[in-house]
Amino acid sequence: MKISLPLLFAIASAWGYPLAAAPVNFLPQPLLKETEDGFRVPQPGYQFVFPRDHGSHPDFKVEWWYLTGHLFGPDKERFGFQATFFRKANTPPREQGSGGSKTFRSDEVFLFHAALLEVESGRFIHTERLARSGWDANASSSGLSVRVGEARLSAVDGQEDRFTLDASIRAEAGFSLKLEAQKPVVVFGKDGVSRKGESATAASWYLTFPRMQARGEVRVKERLIPVEGLVWMDHEISSSQLTEEQAGWDWAGIQFEDGREIMVYRLRRKDGATDSASALSWVDREGKATYYGASEFQWETNGVWRSSESGAKYPLPVRLKAPDPVTGSLVEWILEPLSNQQELDGAVSGVPYWEGACRVLREGREVGSAYVELTGYAGALGRALR
Amino acid sequence: MSRKYDLSPVLRDVSLRLFSGERLALTGPSGSGKTTLLNCLGGIDRPDSGSVLIGGEDLTRIDGEELAMLRRRKIGNVFQFFHLLPTLSVRENVEFPLLLLGVAPAQRRERAGSLLERVKMGHRAEALPSRLSGGEMQRCAIARALVHSPRVILADEPTGNLDSVNSANILELLQELSGEMETALVLVTHSEEAARICQREVRMRDGVLEEVRG
Amino acid sequence: MNLKPVEDRGGTARVSGVLLRQFTLRHWRGQPLRALLLVLLLSLGVAVFLSIRLANRAAVASFTNFASVLSTQADATIGAPAGLLPDSVLETLRQNMAVKGTDISAGMELIPIVEVVCAPPRSGEDGGIGARGSFTLIGVDLVALQNFAADQKMERRWFEEASQADEQNGGGALGRLLGRRNAVYCSGKLAAKEGLRVGSLLVLVVNDQPVSLEIAGIIPGRSDQPESPAGLLVMDLPALQELSGKVGLLDRIECLFPKGARQGASRDALLTRLRAAVGEAGSVRTGESRLAAAELMTRGFRLNLTILSLLALLVGLYLIFQALDAAVVRRRSEIAVLRALGVRGSEVRRAWLWEAALLGVAGGAVGVLGGWALAQGTVRAVSQTVNSLYYANNTEAAGLHPGEAAGAFLLAVGCSVLAGWFPAKRAAATPPAQLWAQGAGPGGAEADSALRTWVGCGLLFGAVGLAFCSPLTFSGGSRFALGGYLSAFFGVIGAGILAGDSLRLVAWLAARFSRHSAPRQLAQSHLRVPTSRHRWAAAGLLCAVSMTGGMSVLVGSFERSVSEWIAHLLQADVYLTSDSNQAATAYNRISSSSWRKITSDPAVSDWDAMLLVPVEFGGGSIRVAGTSLDFYQRRRQFSWLKEPLSAEVFDRKQNEGRCVVSESFAERFRVGRGARIRLPTPKGERALEIEGIYTDYGDDQGIVMVERGHLQEWFGTSAVSSLSLVLKAGEDPEAVRAQMRASHPGLAVFTNVHLRGEVMRIFRQTFAITYALEAIGVAVALAGLGITLASILAERRAELTTLRALGMSRTGIAGVAAWEGAILALGGTAGGLISSLGLGALLIFVINKQTFGWTLQPAIPLRALLLLGVVVPVSGAAVAWVVGRYGAELPSDVTK
C-alpha cells in the first residue's frame, strides 16, 4: 500500500487513506454505502474486472496511481524515481457532468508528482503539477489511461499487465518507461477492502503491482540514458475522511533480491504512539500476501536527518524488525537512503514529505531495494488532513 | 620692417634695436604709425616685410597661437585704459600671467606679493578694480606687466588717463622697475616728461623713424 | 628688485580650467539671475521632450500580455487570424506535439486566455467616451495557475484569502471557487484605490449587461517586481467564457517554452514544431510581436508627438545660442585683455564650450526632473487619446525610465555644446585688447551674403523636391513620412536663412514711413545692413511663426474635414453600443435578443446595426465592419473617394463577394477599386473585390466594410457591436434615449447631437499637446528676440554714447530699439506666415496623408493666422522697447 498525499490537496478537503491490512486488535465500525456528500464507499467482496478497473472510478472521491522504482543505466548509473497521479472529485456523482465546459471542467482536479534521484551525484529534482480535468488532465474509466499535463500512464493496447509511463520534471529531466508486471496484481485488505481508521467510511480498494520490470530511457539535462530496473505501482480508490488523532505515517515498499516483497506502514498518533491500524504484509513469489499486525513488527530509527528547507527532522535510516513467514524467525533490516535529500517541498500543495529510494541491508549485506515514505514531520499535516 | 594698410604705407623700412634694460621713448603725432609699430613689436600685428626678434625669437615666423604663447612669456603690456580684469581682485590680476604659465600657487603669491609691495599696492591686494582710482589701477597694471619677468614692456600712453601727480608716480615706477629687473621698455607717449625717463628717444613721422637722442 | 624669469609650463586644458573658474563662474555668481534664466529655459525644452517620451513609453508599456503577470514573457502566442480560437485546439495541440517525457522540449506550458475589455457602468451623466477607464478582464485556468505561482516564487498563493476565509469551513476552497461564476481577482493597486476586500462587489458591463463580480482575492506578485496594473482583473477561464458569451472559445493561447529551449536553435526548432502542430487552426506569433503590434498601431501617432517634442528641444538650443552669443559680446573687453596677456584662441574657445556644457548639465538635470513631473500630466493626455483611438490602457503614472532620462540629459548637454560652438568660435576670434580698442570690428567676418541666399534657395528647392518622396514603409503596413518631415525641416531652415535677406526689404519699406521720426529712421538704418544677429533673431521668429501657423492650418483643415464627415456619417437620431466600449479594442457586443427588442420599438422607423471584428491582414491588424450597405447608401452616409461603379455592392443578394474599404486601408495596403483581397474568417478565407473607397477619419488602421448578414455568418454570431436608429417623425430623441437607457443599463445611448460633440471632443483632445507646444515655440522666439536686441545694443556702445551726447532721451533710445524690434518681428512674422501656408500644405497633403492615409479638406484659419500676425510683431516691439529702455542704461566704454 502506498499511503500518501491527501495532504497535498492542502486547500481542498483531505480524504482518507485506506488500510492495507486488518490488524488483529483493530475493530472498526461497519461500512456505509455512501459518504455524507454522496460519494460511494468501497464495499467488501467487490469483483474486480480488468483491465477496466485499472482505470478511473469517478463515483469515488479520491483515487491515485503511485509508481516508484529503481533504474540502472549501462555505465553503473543508478536512479530512483517517483511518479504519482492523483484524481479528486469536487462534485458528487449525481452533480457531475451537468453542463459547463468540457475542456475546463470544474468538477474534478488532478495532481501530479514526479521526482528523480541521481544516486551517484546525490542530485534530487522533483516537480508538482495541479491540473483541472478536461484538456489538461483526464483519466479514462474503461481502462488505464491517465494524463496530467504532458505526463502519461497508460496500458499498452488495453492489456492488463503492460503499461507505459512518460513524465518530465520541468525541463531538467524526464523518463519514458515500458512496464511489465512480473506478478499478478495484489488486492490488499480483508475481503478486498482496506481500512486504516475506525470511521464508517474510511475504506479503500487497494491494488498493487509490487514487482514490475521497467525498460526505457531517462533524460538528465541533455543526456539520454537507456535504463532497466524494478518498479512498484499502487492504485487506490476511496472517498473517505481521516481521523483526528493521527499525526502522520511511515511507509516502506521493499523488493528483495529473492523475488519477494514487503509492504509496511506505521501510523503515528499525535502522542507519539503507533496506531493499532498499522500493519506489515509480505508478498511471495506467486503474489500471495501474508499479514502481520502492529504488535508483530517494529519500526525504529538509527538517526535523524534535518531538512534545511522545511526544518523537519526525519528519522533516517530506518531499522525494521519483522518475522519472515518462510523461516518464522525475526529478521532485522536497515533501510538506508541512497541520499538523504529526497524531500518533496510541497510548493504547490504546501505540505512537504520525504519519499526516497533506499537500499535494504541485512547484517551489512545488500539484499534488496526499497522506497520509504515519511509524512507528517513538517507541521501542517494535521490541519491539512482534516 | 615695413607695413602697409590698404594701399598707404604706415611703416617704411623701420629698423630698431633695443638692448635689455634699455628704455626707449617712441614719440610722434597721431597717425604717424607709432601704434602700428608697437603692435608689430608686440606680435599683435604683422609687418608686410621684415622681421621682429625678441630674445632671438622671430615673431614673424610663428602663427597666432604661438604668438600668444610668446606674449605670455616675453612681453608685458601697460595700457592707456589700464584693462584690469574686472572680476579678479588686485592680487589675482597681478598673479594672472603666472597662472597662465603654470606657476605653483605659493610661488605666485610670493612673486605677486613682493611686486605689489614694490608698487605700494600691497594694502589693496584684495580689492576689485572697480574700487580703485586710475593711479592705483595703473600701478597694478605695471605690477602685472612685470610679474613674469618679460623681456620687454610695451607701454602705450600709460599716463594718458592720469593726473600729473599720478603720472609722475607711474613714470618713476616704470623707470625704477625696468632698471632693476633689466627689462627693456618701449614707451609710446605724447608727453615730454614721459620721454625723459627713457635713455633713448625716437620719433615717428609719416612712417619713418628718426633718432632724436641717445 | 630682481625676479628670475619664469618657465612656461602651460597646457591648454589647465588654462581653460583657469578661465572657467576665474571668469565664467564668477560672472555667473555675479549675475545669478541671468544664468538661472538660461538654465530654466533650456530645462523647459528638455522637460517637454522628456515628458513626451515618457508618456509615449508608458502608453505602449501598458499593453502587456498576461504572462507578464507571472513575471515572465510568453515565447509564442497562438491566435486565430480572425475571430476566436475554438478551445478544442488545446487537445489537438497536445496530441500533435506528442511530447515524450524524455524530449528536450518537454515542459512547454500552454496558457489559454480569454480576454474581455470592459468598463464600469455609468453613474449619472458622466464625461464622454473614454473618461471612465477600462478594465481588462482575463480568464485563465486558475488551477494551472498554482503551478506558476510556485515556480515564480510568488509572495502569496492565489487562494490564500479564500482558504483563510474557508479554514473554519473545513477547507474545500479550491473546489468551491471553481464552481463560482462570478469570482474575480483584482490587483493590490485597485483594492487600495477603491477600498476593495474579499467579498466586495464590483459591477462591470460585459457585452450589453451589467454584471456583478465578487472579489475573491488579490493577484499575488513578487516583491521585486512591479505590481499588477490597476486595470487588470483575473477570473477562472470557463466562468469568463460563459459570462462573455465565448463558450468553447479562446482569445489566444500563450506558450512558455521550457528553460533549455528559450533561445537559439532549440527555440527555433520548438517554434517550428509548434507551428506544424497548430497547422491551419491558428497563427503562431512570437512574444515580441504582440508588443510590436501595439507599437505599430500607434507608431504614427507617437512619432508625431516625438517630433513635436524634439521641436521643444531645438527651441531650447536656439535660446542657448542666442544667450551665449550675447554673453560673448558682453565680455568682449575681458576676452581682449586675456588675449593681450597671452591666452590663446584655442584656450578661449575651449573655456566657452565648457561654459556651454555646464549650462547643458544644469539645464539637463533640472529638465529631467521637470520632465518627469510634467510627464504625469502628459501621460494622462496621451493615454486617454490612445485609449480612445487605439487600445485599452489604464496608465496611471509614468515612471522615470533611466534610459530616457539619461538620453534626454545627454541630448541637453550635446545640444548646449552645439549651440555654443559658434559663439565660442567668435570669442576665440576676439583680437587682443590693443586692436580691439581701436575698434577693429567684432571679429568673425560676416559670411558671404550671396552664398547665404543660394543656400537658402537651395534648401527651399530641396524641400519642394522632398515633398514628393514616398513614405518609408514598415512591416505591418504602417508608414513614416520621412520625406515630408525632412522637407518641413529644410523648408523652414531655408526660409529662415532667407528671412535675413527679407529684412532688407522690410527695412526699405519702413524707410518710406520714417522721414519724420528720428528713432524710426535710425532703426531702419540699422536694418539696411542687418548683422548676423539680426538675421538669427528674424530666422527664429520665422521658424516659430511658420510652425505655429502651419499647425493651425493643419488643425483647421482637420476640423473642417471631420465636421463635414460627421455631418455625412451621423444621420440617424439615436446610437447605441455597449457601455463597456470605452476603448478602441473593446469588442463588447449587443446580444441578438437585445437588439431585436430595441429595433422593434414603436418609435423606430428605420435602423441599421454594425458588427465590428478585428482581423489579421497583411502582417498587421485591421477591422472588418458588417453593416447594411444599402442603408448606408440610401442615407448617403458614405463620403466617397471612389464611388462604386455599379449598385450590386449594395444589394445583399449580390454582394457576398464584394466590399468597400476605408481610405486608410487603401493607402496602407496600396490597393484600389477593383482589387481583390482575401479576408481570413473562422470559416476560411473569403475572396472579396473592392468596389469603392470611402473616407473615414475615425480609423487609421484600415476598415473593410461588407454586408452584415454575410459577416455574421462567417463569424458565427448574431450579436452586433452598435446600432443606429432613425426615429419616426415627431419622436423626441432625448425621450427615446432616456427610455432606452433605463431599460438597458448595460448600453450607452447617444443622440445625434451628443455623439457629434463626442467625436469632435476626441479629435480636439488629440491636438491638446500640440497647442501647448506651439505656444512655447512662439514665446521662446520672442525671448530670443529680446536677448538678441540686448546684445546688439551692447555692441553699439559707442553709438549710444554719441546719441546721448547728441541729446536723445532715454525714451528716444528705447524707441529706436522698439522700432528695430518691430521691424525684425514684422519681417519674421510676414515670412513666417507665408511659409506657414507652405508648411500647412506639407502637413496636410504629405505628412498626414502618408502617415494616416487621410485626405483632408484644406481650410485656412484666417482668424488664427491674423491673430498670429498681429500678436507676434506687437509682442516683439514690446519686448524690444523694454530692452531698449533698460539697455540705455548700459555703461559705456569709459571706465571710472
Side-chain angles (χ1 to χ4, degrees), chain B residues 4-15:
Chain B
K4 280 190 180 150
Y5 278 130
D6 296 329
L7 289 172
S8 39
V10 180
L11 299 174
R12 295 174 220 260
D13 292 325
V14 169
S15 194

Side-chain angles (χ1 to χ4, degrees), chain A residues 11-13 90 101 103-104 106 109 128-132 134-136 138 147 149-150 152 166-168 170-176 217-219 221-222 224 347-348 383 386, chain C residues 87 90-91 94 99-104 106-110 112 141-144 146-147 150-151 157 159 163 167 170-175 178 236-238 241 250 258-259:
Chain A
I11 11 181
S13 56
N90 276 341
S101 172
T103 318
F104 302 94
S106 302
V109 173
E128 273 186 273
R129 191 194 172 79
L130 204 55
R132 74 209 292 159
W135 78 277
D136 206 15
N138 51 50
R147 187 170 70 76
E150 285 170 351
R152 281 191 311 278
D166 256 275
S168 69
R170 282 187 274 263
E172 297 173 45
F175 37 85
S176 183
E217 286 171 330
V218 165
R219 175 175 72 84
K221 296 254 175 74
E222 285 88 42
L224 209 57
V348 172
R383 180 157 61 89
R386 252 175 278 122
Chain C
D87 59 17
L90 288 163
E91 189 117 25
R94 265 269 152 78
V99 175
K100 285 179 58 167
T102 43
D103 270 356
I104 199 99
M108 179 174 76
E109 294 292 348
L110 298 173
D141 183 348
L142 289 182
V143 174
Q146 304 309 298
N147 305 318
D151 246 0
R157 290 197 301 278
F159 300 125
S163 51
E167 221 180 80
L174 174 57
L178 292 184
D236 196 27
L237 194 147
Q241 278 180 324
L250 302 169
K259 229 180 343 202

Side-chain angles (χ1 to χ4, degrees), chain C residues 327-498:
Chain C
V328 168
V329 170
R330 259 197 329 271
R331 282 148 52 180
R332 220 173 228 136
S333 65
E334 179 186 280
I335 302 175
V337 174
L338 288 170
R339 296 281 278 138
L341 289 174
V343 174
R344 292 189 285 189
S346 57
E347 289 159 345
V348 170
R349 184 172 62 239
R350 192 179 281 220
W352 277 88
L353 282 177
W354 269 109
E355 181 164 350
L358 282 177
L359 276 175
V361 165
V366 175
V368 162
L369 287 174
W372 177 58
L374 200 60
Q376 309 311 317
T378 52
V379 157
R380 222 168 292 278
V382 168
S383 95
Q384 265 200 11
T385 306
V386 168
N387 192 49
S388 314
L389 299 182
Y390 298 103
Y391 48 75
N393 74 93
N394 240 318
T395 332
E396 298 103 18
L400 186 60
H401 189 263
E404 296 285 354
F409 180 77
L410 288 173
L411 206 59
V413 175
C415 286
S416 251
V417 172
L418 192 69
W421 185 260
F422 210 60
K425 248 183 82 169
R426 259 216 238 246
T430 308
Q434 295 90 327
L435 288 183
W436 176 74
Q438 292 154 30
E446 302 287 349
D448 184 15
S449 70
L451 177 66
R452 251 202 329 273
T453 316
W454 278 117
V455 169
C457 290
L459 283 173
L460 281 180
F461 275 119
V464 170
L466 280 167
F468 291 99
C469 281
S470 309
L472 280 184
T473 357
F474 299 113
S475 66
S478 83
R479 292 143 295 162
F480 180 53
L482 182 66
Y485 284 115
L486 282 176
S487 168
F489 182 66
F490 287 143
V492 168
I493 303 262
I497 290 178
L498 293 177

Side-chain angles (χ1 to χ4, degrees), chain C residues 490-642:
Chain C
F490 287 143
V492 168
I493 303 262
I497 290 178
L498 293 177
D501 291 335
S502 77
L503 276 180
R504 258 179 262 203
L505 178 64
V506 182
W508 178 82
L509 278 173
R512 313 263 119 209
F513 300 95
S514 315
R515 270 190 282 258
H516 304 294
S517 156
R520 255 181 277 175
Q521 195 187 63
L522 206 50
Q524 59 86 14
S525 76
H526 290 148
L527 288 170
R528 269 205 300 252
V529 189
T531 66
S532 62
R533 285 215 182 74
H534 286 122
R535 278 196 296 275
W536 275 108
L541 276 169
L542 185 144
C543 288
V545 169
S546 59
M547 285 197 271
T548 305
M551 279 306 293
S552 301
V553 171
L554 176 69
V555 172
S557 307
F558 238 119
E559 286 233 18
R560 176 173 163 207
S561 310
V562 170
S563 339
E564 283 179 8
W565 169 66
I566 289 287
H568 249 109
L569 181 68
L570 297 181
Q571 307 246 5
D573 297 305
V574 176
Y575 294 87
L576 298 98
T577 185
S578 162
D579 210 9
S580 259
N581 284 343
Q582 296 281 313
T585 47
Y587 291 102
N588 291 281
R589 295 194 184 145
I590 308 175
S591 67
S592 142
S593 56
S594 295
W595 68 255
R596 277 186 222 282
K597 183 164 158 237
I598 293 169
T599 53
S600 54
D601 190 292
V604 175
S605 86
D606 197 2
W607 61 273
D608 183 29
M610 177 181 289
L611 172 64
L612 207 58
V613 290
V615 151
E616 275 173 41
F617 184 85
S621 60
I622 61 160
R623 288 181 295 178
V624 181
T627 178
S628 164
L629 292 170
D630 173 60
F631 179 94
Y632 252 73
Q633 180 69 343
R634 240 189 311 126
R635 305 223 141 247
R636 286 196 266 272
Q637 289 184 177
F638 283 115
S639 304
W640 290 114
L641 270 172
K642 289 257 160 49

